[in-house]
Amino acid sequence: MADDAAFVEVGDADAMADGEMRQVRVAGSRVLLCRVDGRFHAIGGVCTHEEGTLADGELDGDLVTCPVHFGQFNVRTREAVAPPCDLPEPVHDVKVEGGRVLVARQPRA
Ligand code: FES
């Protein structure tokens, strides 16, 4: 896959339908890539509560539920929206070029 300095290519945009999510590796980190209403969002893939793998949870609209203690995050805003989670996830910029999805190597500051 082609990478550039700031972004990592993680797959074909057409390979993900609305409502799907998957874990991708970005610069050594686990990132959760989601497609909601045609747009891609990428937040940290590891729950900020006790490190549950969010890709093993469920995505309903823009809310992902952690499979461990069922805390929730909004994948558009990265915010924790249901306990026991209270810290936001990192968020990465995402762009689509030539039908390929690219995720920023570094989370947004
Ligand atoms: S590890 Fe995710 S809610 Fe506890």
Side-chain angles (χ1 to χ4, degrees), residues 46-54 65-73 82-85 89:
V46 179
C47 183
T48 58
H49 179 234
E50 289 184 0
E51 302 185 359
T53 299
L54 295 181
T65 302
C66 177
V68 182
H69 307 107
F70 311 111
Q72 291 183 316
F73 298 89
C85 305
E89 288 286 347

mmCIF file of all heavy atoms in Angstrom, residues 46-54 65-73 82-85 89, ligand 1:
data_model
loop_
_atom_site.group_PDB
_atom_site.id
_atom_site.type_symbol
_atom_site.label_atom_id
_atom_site.label_comp_id
_atom_site.label_asym_id
_atom_site.label_seq_id
_atom_site.Cartn_x
_atom_site.Cartn_y
_atom_site.Cartn_z
ATOM 1 N N VAL A 46 -8.425 1.452 21.100
ATOM 2 C CA VAL A 46 -8.310 0.848 22.430
ATOM 3 C C VAL A 46 -9.119 1.701 23.404
ATOM 4 O O VAL A 46 -8.910 2.907 23.521
ATOM 5 C CB VAL A 46 -6.831 0.788 22.869
ATOM 6 C CG1 VAL A 46 -6.715 0.172 24.254
ATOM 7 C CG2 VAL A 46 -6.017 -0.002 21.855
ATOM 8 N N CYS A 47 -10.036 1.065 24.094
ATOM 9 C CA CYS A 47 -10.913 1.782 25.026
ATOM 10 C C CYS A 47 -10.088 2.520 26.078
ATOM 11 O O CYS A 47 -9.144 1.959 26.654
ATOM 12 C CB CYS A 47 -11.862 0.794 25.688
ATOM 13 S SG CYS A 47 -13.051 1.570 26.797
ATOM 14 N N THR A 48 -10.471 3.769 26.341
ATOM 15 C CA THR A 48 -9.745 4.562 27.326
ATOM 16 C C THR A 48 -10.085 4.147 28.750
ATOM 17 O O THR A 48 -9.476 4.653 29.693
ATOM 18 C CB THR A 48 -10.043 6.063 27.149
ATOM 19 O OG1 THR A 48 -11.453 6.273 27.280
ATOM 20 C CG2 THR A 48 -9.558 6.566 25.799
ATOM 21 N N HIS A 49 -11.036 3.238 28.919
ATOM 22 C CA HIS A 49 -11.349 2.759 30.266
ATOM 23 C C HIS A 49 -10.340 1.707 30.692
ATOM 24 O O HIS A 49 -9.451 1.995 31.470
ATOM 25 C CB HIS A 49 -12.797 2.237 30.329
ATOM 26 C CG HIS A 49 -13.169 1.704 31.676
ATOM 27 N ND1 HIS A 49 -13.682 0.447 31.856
ATOM 28 C CD2 HIS A 49 -13.066 2.267 32.902
ATOM 29 C CE1 HIS A 49 -13.893 0.253 33.162
ATOM 30 N NE2 HIS A 49 -13.535 1.348 33.807
ATOM 31 N N GLU A 50 -10.460 0.497 30.150
ATOM 32 C CA GLU A 50 -9.502 -0.551 30.530
ATOM 33 C C GLU A 50 -9.040 -1.341 29.313
ATOM 34 O O GLU A 50 -8.915 -2.570 29.361
ATOM 35 C CB GLU A 50 -10.092 -1.479 31.602
ATOM 36 C CG GLU A 50 -10.211 -0.789 32.955
ATOM 37 C CD GLU A 50 -10.704 -1.709 34.058
ATOM 38 O OE1 GLU A 50 -10.969 -2.896 33.804
ATOM 39 O OE2 GLU A 50 -10.835 -1.211 35.193
ATOM 40 N N GLU A 51 -8.853 -0.623 28.215
ATOM 41 C CA GLU A 51 -8.172 -1.149 27.039
ATOM 42 C C GLU A 51 -8.936 -2.231 26.279
ATOM 43 O O GLU A 51 -8.339 -3.109 25.646
ATOM 44 C CB GLU A 51 -6.760 -1.640 27.404
ATOM 45 C CG GLU A 51 -5.929 -0.532 28.015
ATOM 46 C CD GLU A 51 -4.494 -0.935 28.294
ATOM 47 O OE1 GLU A 51 -4.124 -2.090 28.027
ATOM 48 O OE2 GLU A 51 -3.741 -0.079 28.779
ATOM 49 N N GLY A 52 -10.259 -2.191 26.341
ATOM 50 C CA GLY A 52 -11.041 -3.079 25.485
ATOM 51 C C GLY A 52 -10.795 -2.756 24.017
ATOM 52 O O GLY A 52 -10.434 -1.626 23.664
ATOM 53 N N THR A 53 -10.965 -3.747 23.164
ATOM 54 C CA THR A 53 -10.800 -3.557 21.719
ATOM 55 C C THR A 53 -12.132 -3.121 21.124
ATOM 56 O O THR A 53 -13.074 -3.926 21.019
ATOM 57 C CB THR A 53 -10.315 -4.864 21.065
ATOM 58 O OG1 THR A 53 -9.054 -5.221 21.640
ATOM 59 C CG2 THR A 53 -10.168 -4.711 19.555
ATOM 60 N N LEU A 54 -12.210 -1.854 20.746
ATOM 61 C CA LEU A 54 -13.500 -1.311 20.311
ATOM 62 C C LEU A 54 -14.027 -2.006 19.061
ATOM 63 O O LEU A 54 -15.247 -2.121 18.892
ATOM 64 C CB LEU A 54 -13.389 0.199 20.083
ATOM 65 C CG LEU A 54 -13.103 1.016 21.349
ATOM 66 C CD1 LEU A 54 -13.028 2.505 20.996
ATOM 67 C CD2 LEU A 54 -14.158 0.775 22.422
ATOM 68 N N THR A 65 -19.956 0.829 21.069
ATOM 69 C CA THR A 65 -20.036 0.287 22.419
ATOM 70 C C THR A 65 -18.884 -0.665 22.647
ATOM 71 O O THR A 65 -18.672 -1.606 21.872
ATOM 72 C CB THR A 65 -21.371 -0.456 22.622
ATOM 73 O OG1 THR A 65 -22.452 0.441 22.372
ATOM 74 C CG2 THR A 65 -21.480 -1.007 24.043
ATOM 75 N N CYS A 66 -18.129 -0.417 23.719
ATOM 76 C CA CYS A 66 -17.006 -1.279 24.072
ATOM 77 C C CYS A 66 -17.532 -2.642 24.523
ATOM 78 O O CYS A 66 -18.513 -2.709 25.279
ATOM 79 C CB CYS A 66 -16.200 -0.617 25.195
ATOM 80 S SG CYS A 66 -14.817 -1.635 25.771
ATOM 81 N N PRO A 67 -16.885 -3.723 24.077
ATOM 82 C CA PRO A 67 -17.379 -5.051 24.434
ATOM 83 C C PRO A 67 -17.082 -5.461 25.879
ATOM 84 O O PRO A 67 -17.619 -6.455 26.349
ATOM 85 C CB PRO A 67 -16.632 -5.971 23.462
ATOM 86 C CG PRO A 67 -15.348 -5.261 23.208
ATOM 87 C CD PRO A 67 -15.700 -3.794 23.212
ATOM 88 N N VAL A 68 -16.255 -4.702 26.578
ATOM 89 C CA VAL A 68 -15.816 -5.153 27.906
ATOM 90 C C VAL A 68 -16.798 -4.713 29.005
ATOM 91 O O VAL A 68 -17.363 -5.548 29.719
ATOM 92 C CB VAL A 68 -14.387 -4.680 28.213
ATOM 93 C CG1 VAL A 68 -13.931 -5.188 29.569
ATOM 94 C CG2 VAL A 68 -13.432 -5.161 27.123
ATOM 95 N N HIS A 69 -17.011 -3.411 29.131
ATOM 96 C CA HIS A 69 -17.933 -2.925 30.171
ATOM 97 C C HIS A 69 -19.034 -2.059 29.572
ATOM 98 O O HIS A 69 -19.746 -1.368 30.299
ATOM 99 C CB HIS A 69 -17.175 -2.118 31.238
ATOM 100 C CG HIS A 69 -16.002 -2.835 31.829
ATOM 101 N ND1 HIS A 69 -14.698 -2.501 31.527
ATOM 102 C CD2 HIS A 69 -15.931 -3.889 32.673
ATOM 103 C CE1 HIS A 69 -13.871 -3.315 32.178
ATOM 104 N NE2 HIS A 69 -14.592 -4.172 32.876
ATOM 105 N N PHE A 70 -19.132 -2.048 28.245
ATOM 106 C CA PHE A 70 -20.245 -1.412 27.532
ATOM 107 C C PHE A 70 -20.275 0.108 27.636
ATOM 108 O O PHE A 70 -21.324 0.718 27.465
ATOM 109 C CB PHE A 70 -21.587 -2.036 27.953
ATOM 110 C CG PHE A 70 -21.546 -3.535 27.906
ATOM 111 C CD1 PHE A 70 -21.594 -4.284 29.077
ATOM 112 C CD2 PHE A 70 -21.391 -4.202 26.699
ATOM 113 C CE1 PHE A 70 -21.512 -5.673 29.043
ATOM 114 C CE2 PHE A 70 -21.304 -5.587 26.656
ATOM 115 C CZ PHE A 70 -21.367 -6.319 27.825
ATOM 116 N N GLY A 71 -19.124 0.711 27.912
ATOM 117 C CA GLY A 71 -19.026 2.153 27.753
ATOM 118 C C GLY A 71 -19.166 2.505 26.280
ATOM 119 O O GLY A 71 -19.051 1.640 25.394
ATOM 120 N N GLN A 72 -19.436 3.777 26.005
ATOM 121 C CA GLN A 72 -19.658 4.187 24.609
ATOM 122 C C GLN A 72 -18.871 5.447 24.263
ATOM 123 O O GLN A 72 -18.642 6.315 25.111
ATOM 124 C CB GLN A 72 -21.143 4.471 24.366
ATOM 125 C CG GLN A 72 -22.016 3.226 24.415
ATOM 126 C CD GLN A 72 -23.448 3.560 24.104
ATOM 127 O OE1 GLN A 72 -23.997 4.541 24.602
ATOM 128 N NE2 GLN A 72 -24.059 2.743 23.257
ATOM 129 N N PHE A 73 -18.527 5.524 22.966
ATOM 130 C CA PHE A 73 -17.877 6.703 22.398
ATOM 131 C C PHE A 73 -18.647 7.121 21.154
ATOM 132 O O PHE A 73 -19.153 6.285 20.417
ATOM 133 C CB PHE A 73 -16.430 6.391 21.983
ATOM 134 C CG PHE A 73 -15.560 5.977 23.124
ATOM 135 C CD1 PHE A 73 -15.462 4.640 23.483
ATOM 136 C CD2 PHE A 73 -14.840 6.916 23.845
ATOM 137 C CE1 PHE A 73 -14.661 4.244 24.546
ATOM 138 C CE2 PHE A 73 -14.027 6.540 24.912
ATOM 139 C CZ PHE A 73 -13.942 5.203 25.258
ATOM 140 N N ALA A 82 -20.882 7.328 27.491
ATOM 141 C CA ALA A 82 -21.568 6.472 28.464
ATOM 142 C C ALA A 82 -20.526 5.846 29.375
ATOM 143 O O ALA A 82 -19.466 5.420 28.922
ATOM 144 C CB ALA A 82 -22.386 5.402 27.752
ATOM 145 N N PRO A 83 -20.819 5.818 30.701
ATOM 146 C CA PRO A 83 -19.883 5.240 31.645
ATOM 147 C C PRO A 83 -19.723 3.739 31.425
ATOM 148 O O PRO A 83 -20.617 3.115 30.847
ATOM 149 C CB PRO A 83 -20.539 5.538 33.004
ATOM 150 C CG PRO A 83 -21.986 5.677 32.717
ATOM 151 C CD PRO A 83 -22.075 6.227 31.320
ATOM 152 N N PRO A 84 -18.614 3.188 31.858
ATOM 153 C CA PRO A 84 -17.610 3.784 32.727
ATOM 154 C C PRO A 84 -16.555 4.606 31.983
ATOM 155 O O PRO A 84 -15.624 5.071 32.629
ATOM 156 C CB PRO A 84 -16.960 2.563 33.385
ATOM 157 C CG PRO A 84 -17.031 1.499 32.329
ATOM 158 C CD PRO A 84 -18.340 1.737 31.654
ATOM 159 N N CYS A 85 -16.700 4.817 30.700
ATOM 160 C CA CYS A 85 -15.700 5.607 29.965
ATOM 161 C C CYS A 85 -15.902 7.084 30.284
ATOM 162 O O CYS A 85 -17.039 7.569 30.270
ATOM 163 C CB CYS A 85 -15.854 5.403 28.463
ATOM 164 S SG CYS A 85 -15.783 3.674 27.986
ATOM 165 N N GLU A 89 -11.332 9.433 23.142
ATOM 166 C CA GLU A 89 -10.349 8.730 22.325
ATOM 167 C C GLU A 89 -9.539 9.737 21.510
ATOM 168 O O GLU A 89 -10.049 10.813 21.176
ATOM 169 C CB GLU A 89 -11.047 7.776 21.340
ATOM 170 C CG GLU A 89 -11.665 6.553 21.982
ATOM 171 C CD GLU A 89 -10.606 5.536 22.402
ATOM 172 O OE1 GLU A 89 -9.446 5.660 21.980
ATOM 173 O OE2 GLU A 89 -10.964 4.618 23.157
HETATM 174 S S1 FES B 1 -12.707 -1.495 28.829
HETATM 175 FE FE1 FES B 1 -14.134 -0.403 27.608
HETATM 176 S S2 FES B 1 -15.757 0.094 28.958
HETATM 177 FE FE2 FES B 1 -14.246 -0.889 30.206
#
